[in-house]
Amino acid sequence: MKRILVVDDDPTVSEVVAGYLGRAGFAVDVAADGPTAVARAATRPPDLVVLDLMLPGMDGLEVCRLIREDGPLPVIMLTARGDEEDRILGLEVGADDYVTKPFSPRELVLRVESVLRRAGTPATTGTAPAEPRLRSGPLALDPTARRATRDGTELALTVREFDLLAFFLRHPGRATTREELMHQVWGWQFGDLSTVTVHVRRLREKIEADPARPRLISTVWGVGYRFDPPRPAATDQNGADDGR
């Protein structure tokens, strides 16, 4: 049974969300403030956190940073409707998804299931074949184990960052709109396209040699983004790099 930590200082919201998640088959812990949430996550590690941005004692952004210090942990942010800056800040610190208040509890349950499904490992029945590993230059990605490395060093990617990188590696040289990325990676038919922009920026920070001058994920102005596989260095007959 997957464990969900719900963090919200509004007892009505917490009660309703916990009720819906419980009926969906999840074990639910509840915290009403930031410090309690951090302590609860440390003593009873959850599989996913539903986290309100506005909390007493410590805001949701700091809670997100602290609970993810030991490794990736799926986080869905709860934000007030219209607070685009808060939503972007939440994505910047690594939230995998967000839901704006007021929201449908059923929609939140679907978002939780979607993020966990993408973050989870395949069933151990032995019937599902392993997905082929993906490689491009210094990057290697194992979809089955959900591990990605750069030059042999494992990358600490969020659920959405991993899925975004996998999409790019599967479609090298293809210009893709932000709308298509939202549909293919997030599974949303519509939504705030800044979500895609922020995740691309975060992914660049983790895979590019110089994120300010990206060479792997290029911006195609007026369209979206394109993954450009790195070209092998040209060598002369003695095997030395020609310096071009």
Side-chain angles (χ1 to χ4, degrees), residues 159-180:
V159 173
R160 300 299 188 188
E161 290 166 358
F162 183 94
D163 293 337
L164 187 59
L165 178 58
F167 180 89
F168 281 136
L169 291 176
R170 290 185 178 114
H171 302 90
R174 170 182 165 187
T176 308
T177 65
R178 291 189 298 168
E179 289 86 354
E180 184 177 357

Side-chain angles (χ1 to χ4, degrees), residues 9-10 22 66 69 74 86 103 107 134 143 145 151 154 156 161 164 170 178 182-184 194 214 226:
D9 62 334
D10 186 329
L66 291 173
E69 283 184 345
D86 285 343
F103 58 85
E107 177 192 357
L134 304 170
D151 291 324
E154 187 162 358
E161 290 166 358
L164 187 59
R170 290 185 178 114
R178 291 189 298 168
M182 177 162 284
H183 175 61
Q184 295 291 338
S194 65
R226 183 185 66 243

Side-chain angles (χ1 to χ4, degrees), residues 53 61 64 68 75 77 84-98 158 160-161 186 188 192-199 201-202:
L53 270 178
L61 297 177
C64 186
R68 300 192 66 217
V75 173
M77 286 282 191
E84 181 178 0
E85 182 177 349
D86 285 343
R87 293 199 299 271
I88 291 176
L89 283 173
L91 295 172
E92 288 282 11
V93 298
D96 297 282
D97 205 345
Y98 68 85
T158 66
R160 300 299 188 188
E161 290 166 358
W186 277 259
W188 302 351
D192 184 355
L193 294 180
S194 65
T195 300
V196 177
T197 304
V198 171
H199 276 81
R201 182 164 65 246
R202 286 181 53 83

